[in-house]
Amino acid sequence: MNRNILVLLVVRVIANFADSFYFLASVWYVKETTDASAWIGVTTFAAMIPVAFQVLYGPLIDRYSKKNLLLVSMAIQAMVLIVLASLYAFGELSVGFVIAGLFIATLASELSYPTEYALVPSLVRESDLQKVNAWFTFTHHSLDLLCNAIAGFLLALIGVGLMYMSNAVLYLFLFAVIGFFLRINETVTRTSEDVTYLIDLKVGFRYV
């Protein structure tokens, strides 16, 4: 457990909670606004479909600074939630904005998962890699039940608007944690001989 792994693990745990917070807040808002199961289904779909886009992130992760990609992920989610919270505060929030914001925020969130997994092998000894990957897999998948339970409690307690704003604060906090405390040496080289993004993607599909 070195400093960088600890930072990434803390970021992952807090981000898991934040992801659950804004997902449940969005579903709750759509339910209360429309009371239509079809719209609830569309909202859930908007949060699930970005998982399929993870396959497109591989070449980007290989070609750009992983720390910067994590910062971009947190910044996009913070900005989306600030917009949603502001629209809610002024009474201008609509179901369309909620679904679009949820899709964009989840798309950014899905960028962080493979980026973290790609970063871990460079931060630990090979003998410790399996154990560390197990920690990250646990925080990614096994905390969902707890995250959703706490999110439901807070949603009933503080409401949608404050949930969105507190989420934005959480992502800004994670942005600062990554920016100031994640200390890694990355060498990103892109020469004229580098293959294009589409060729990288095609190679990845062929490998799978």
Side-chain angles (χ1 to χ4, degrees):
M1 176 69 77
N2 60 57
R3 171 177 171 167
N4 286 320
I5 289 297
L6 183 59
V7 168
L8 283 179
L9 202 57
V10 169
V11 167
R12 175 47 40 216
V13 170
I14 296 176
N16 263 32
F17 279 98
D19 291 348
S20 293
F21 290 174
Y22 72 69
F23 169 70
L24 284 185
S26 298
V27 172
W28 179 269
Y29 179 83
V30 171
K31 177 186 179 300
E32 291 297 299
T33 303
T34 67
D35 198 26
S37 57
W39 278 112
I40 296 172
V42 171
T43 306
T44 304
F45 179 76
M48 298 304 170
I49 194 62
V51 177
F53 287 93
Q54 274 195 6
V55 69
L56 304 177
Y57 292 145
L60 295 177
I61 294 170
D62 289 337
R63 295 166 70 87
Y64 295 97
S65 163
K66 296 174 182 60
K67 178 177 178 178
N68 287 343
L69 290 175
L70 290 175
L71 290 172
V72 168
S73 172
M74 300 304 162
I76 290 175
Q77 291 177 89
M79 288 188 291
V80 167
L81 289 162
I82 288 172
V83 170
L84 292 179
S86 300
L87 290 173
Y88 183 88
F90 289 106
E92 298 294 332
L93 186 61
S94 67
V95 170
F97 278 123
V98 168
I99 294 175
L102 181 62
F103 176 79
I104 295 171
T106 308
L107 202 61
S109 174
E110 291 301 323
L111 173 61
S112 66
Y113 293 109
T115 302
E116 288 170 354
Y117 281 116
L119 192 54
V120 166
S122 65
L123 302 178
V124 299
R125 295 174 301 182
E126 187 174 352
S127 59
D128 295 328
L129 184 57
Q130 185 175 0
K131 183 187 297 183
V132 174
N133 277 335
W135 292 342
F136 278 85
T137 300
F138 174 79
T139 57
H140 182 185
H141 297 290
S142 303
L143 288 179
D144 285 348
L145 184 61
L146 177 62
C147 294
N148 289 337
I150 295 177
F153 172 77
L154 287 178
L155 184 59
L157 189 66
I158 66 176
V160 172
L162 284 177
M163 184 72 93
Y164 279 147
M165 186 53 69
S166 61
N167 256 36
V169 172
L170 279 179
Y171 284 117
L172 290 175
F173 170 74
L174 294 179
F175 181 91
V177 169
I178 293 170
F180 289 107
F181 296 105
L182 186 62
R183 304 291 178 83
I184 55 178
N185 295 318
E186 291 187 279
T187 302
V188 181
T189 58
R190 293 188 297 276
T191 67
S192 58
E193 297 179 354
D194 281 347
V195 294
T196 65
Y197 170 83
L198 291 177
I199 294 177
D200 276 350
L201 192 62
K202 187 182 296 183
V203 170
F205 273 117
R206 286 176 178 171
Y207 179 81
V208 172

